[in-house]
Every structure is written in structure tokens, then in C-alpha cells.
Amino acid sequence: MTNKPYLLFDAGGTILFPKFDWMASVLSSKGFEVEPLKIFKEFSYLNYEIDDILRRGENNPWNNEWFLKTLVERLSTPKELIDKVASIVIKEENENGLWASTFGHIKETLKLLKDAGYSMSIVSNSDGRVEKMISDVGLRKYFDKVYDSYLVGISKPDKGIFELALKELSLKPQDALFVGDMFYIDVLGANSCGIPAVHLDPFKYYQGWEGARIKGIEELPKLLEKNDMKDKNFFPFK
């Protein structure tokens, strides 16, 4: 591995997030108060549950409408409001894009990494809009390329999308590091073609699972200081 690994990032749940504040305002307009942090926690737990389903060898239940409606239900939304609120949220996703928010510490961390000499690109399961979304929140300037599964025709965990990125970026697997929030999609896919990976777990739902794990990308610079990407923790699927 070179002194500085090339950093490959997932997008949704890693640097881009649903508009939690907007969702809270929609619920508030219907007379139901919920903190954006609670929405974030339920969002993360729902992702954990999907990973646990995949760990058991079952089919991935994910599709956008199912995910968003289930998230609304998990917020203890009154039954009479679930369908109404879910339809508003799904409409926003379809028309404007719901995954259109980030956090200040993410911008700060990406700038720090860029200034420190790290090169970075995105490898995302998306619907053709991820490059626009990261541009809208001011993150596009930090990344060399954006690989959107919809546009390239390959989705994680298929190693093909990682191999495409490695080829176009002239990288060997051991010279990269992948960062993502879905263990059986991001980490599995990266490891399948030899890329070390770090998994994001903001609320420690994955305790006891194998792998290298941090709270969020704000902890990545400290992890990179160790520069030991050959450690077995970065390869739980090898």
C-alpha cells in the first residue's frame, strides 16, 4: 500500500443523509413532534436490521418506498398519520430527492483529508442522482469521480463496480480503502475484490460483529494515522 490509501466512499448513510430536519417538520405540521436525532437513530437501526437479514442469508427487503414508509412507522407515528406522512416523504424523494443533507463535521473532515493529500472518489448504490446530490450539499469538489450504480449498471455488493473504479483510477485493491455504512453491501463488496474496508456505526448497533468500525468519517483521520490497512479487521469477509 502507498503511504496514503486512495479513499473510496459510499454516499447514502456515509456522507449524504435523508433530510431529517425536513422530516421532523412534516411530522410537526401533522401535530406529531419528533426530534431529528431520533429519526437518525431509527434510520441507522433500520439499516442495521437490513444487514442482520442479509447476515442470516435472507433476501434484501430494501426498496425506497418500503424503507421510507418503514422509517415513518418506526418513529411511533400515530397509525392514522403513517400513510399520509409516508406519501409526503416518498413524493419528496421522487420529485426533489430526500437524500439531500449532510453534516458540518463531514464537510470539515473531507476538507481535512483533501488538504492532507488524500485522493477520494464515490462508489454508491443510487438512482442516477447521487452526483447532483453531493454537488447540491457542496461536497462534489472533494471527489475525483462518482460511480453511481444506476449509471454504470452494477450495484454493490457486486465486486464489478469496485473493479471498475479501481481500473479507471489506476489503483490496486491494496492501495485503496473503502468507507461505508452497510456491512453486507459496502464491506462485503469491497472485500470481495481485495479492498480493505471500514464500516460506519454511529450508534453502536453492530457491537460484536467482525470488522474495522468507527462512528463516522470524523474518526477516519485518526484511523488513517495508524496506516495499517493490512490488519485482518479490514477484511472480515476474507
Side-chain angles (χ1 to χ4, degrees), residues 18 111 140 158 174 209:
K111 182 179 186 304
R140 180 63 183 89
D158 190 321
Q174 63 268 28
W209 289 45

Side-chain angles (χ1 to χ4, degrees), residues 161-225:
I161 192 169
F162 296 95
E163 291 173 338
L164 173 64
L166 292 175
K167 181 179 179 180
E168 291 195 356
L169 296 168
S170 300
L171 294 170
K172 296 178 180 179
Q174 63 268 28
D175 292 331
L177 175 68
F178 193 80
V179 183
D181 69 312
M182 294 298 294
F183 192 70
Y184 274 86
I185 295 174
D186 295 317
V187 178
L188 171 61
N191 281 180
S192 70
C193 65
I195 301 174
V198 60
H199 180 230
L200 305 185
D201 180 18
F203 301 105
K204 298 184 177 180
Y205 294 138
Y206 290 81
Q207 291 189 55
W209 289 45
E210 294 182 351
R213 193 161 286 110
I214 57 177
K215 178 181 179 180
I217 73 164
E218 67 273 19
E219 295 183 355
L220 187 58
K222 185 176 181 180
L223 180 73
L224 290 168
E225 288 177 5

Side-chain angles (χ1 to χ4, degrees), residues 18-43 68 71-72 75 77-78 81 85-86 88-89 92 98 101:
K19 297 182 286 191
F20 298 130
D21 289 343
W22 177 84
M23 290 181 68
S25 70
V26 169
L27 287 160
S28 179
S29 72
K30 304 300 179 185
F32 181 67
E33 301 298 328
V34 59
E35 292 294 324
L37 179 59
K38 177 175 173 58
I39 304 177
F40 186 15
K41 287 181 176 179
E42 293 296 339
F43 161 83
L68 294 175
L71 178 58
V72 170
L75 299 173
T77 306
L81 292 178
V85 171
I88 294 172
V89 172
E92 177 69 10
L98 188 68
S101 181

Side-chain angles (χ1 to χ4, degrees), residues 11-190:
T14 299
I15 63 165
L16 275 181
F17 297 85
K19 297 182 286 191
F20 298 130
D21 289 343
W22 177 84
M23 290 181 68
S25 70
V26 169
L27 287 160
S28 179
S29 72
K30 304 300 179 185
F32 181 67
E33 301 298 328
V34 59
E35 292 294 324
L37 179 59
K38 177 175 173 58
I39 304 177
F40 186 15
K41 287 181 176 179
E42 293 296 339
F43 161 83
S44 297
Y45 193 74
L46 186 52
N47 280 336
Y48 164 75
E49 288 187 319
I50 293 171
D51 257 334
D52 199 40
I53 288 170
L54 296 175
R55 181 163 71 160
R56 298 196 301 268
E58 300 174 18
N59 292 330
N60 189 344
W62 196 95
N63 67 60
N64 233 357
E65 292 195 5
W66 171 84
F67 185 89
L68 294 175
K69 184 174 181 180
T70 303
L71 178 58
V72 170
E73 291 173 346
R74 295 293 179 84
L75 299 173
S76 300
T77 306
K79 288 184 179 180
E80 65 273 15
L81 292 178
I82 290 174
D83 287 342
K84 185 178 294 186
V85 171
S87 67
I88 294 172
V89 172
I90 291 167
K91 182 180 180 183
E92 177 69 10
E93 161 63 5
N94 292 338
E95 295 183 356
N96 302 308
L98 188 68
W99 298 75
S101 181
T102 193
F103 297 107
H105 66 263
I106 290 176
K107 294 181 179 180
E108 292 167 5
T109 302
L110 292 174
K111 182 179 186 304
L112 187 154
L113 291 168
K114 193 75 169 178
D115 290 347
Y118 287 93
S119 295
M120 300 176 281
S121 286
I122 296 288
V123 180
S124 173
N125 283 357
S126 189
D127 59 2
R129 297 183 291 177
V130 70
E131 186 163 14
K132 180 182 185 303
M133 293 302 181
I134 65 170
S135 296
D136 288 348
V137 298
L139 301 182
R140 180 63 183 89
K141 61 186 176 183
Y142 299 112
F143 301 102
D144 298 330
K145 292 193 175 184
V146 177
Y147 297 91
D148 183 316
S149 63
Y150 179 84
L151 299 179
V152 303
I154 316 169
S155 297
K156 299 175 292 183
D158 190 321
K159 67 179 182 179
I161 192 169
F162 296 95
E163 291 173 338
L164 173 64
L166 292 175
K167 181 179 179 180
E168 291 195 356
L169 296 168
S170 300
L171 294 170
K172 296 178 180 179
Q174 63 268 28
D175 292 331
L177 175 68
F178 193 80
V179 183
D181 69 312
M182 294 298 294
F183 192 70
Y184 274 86
I185 295 174
D186 295 317
V187 178
L188 171 61

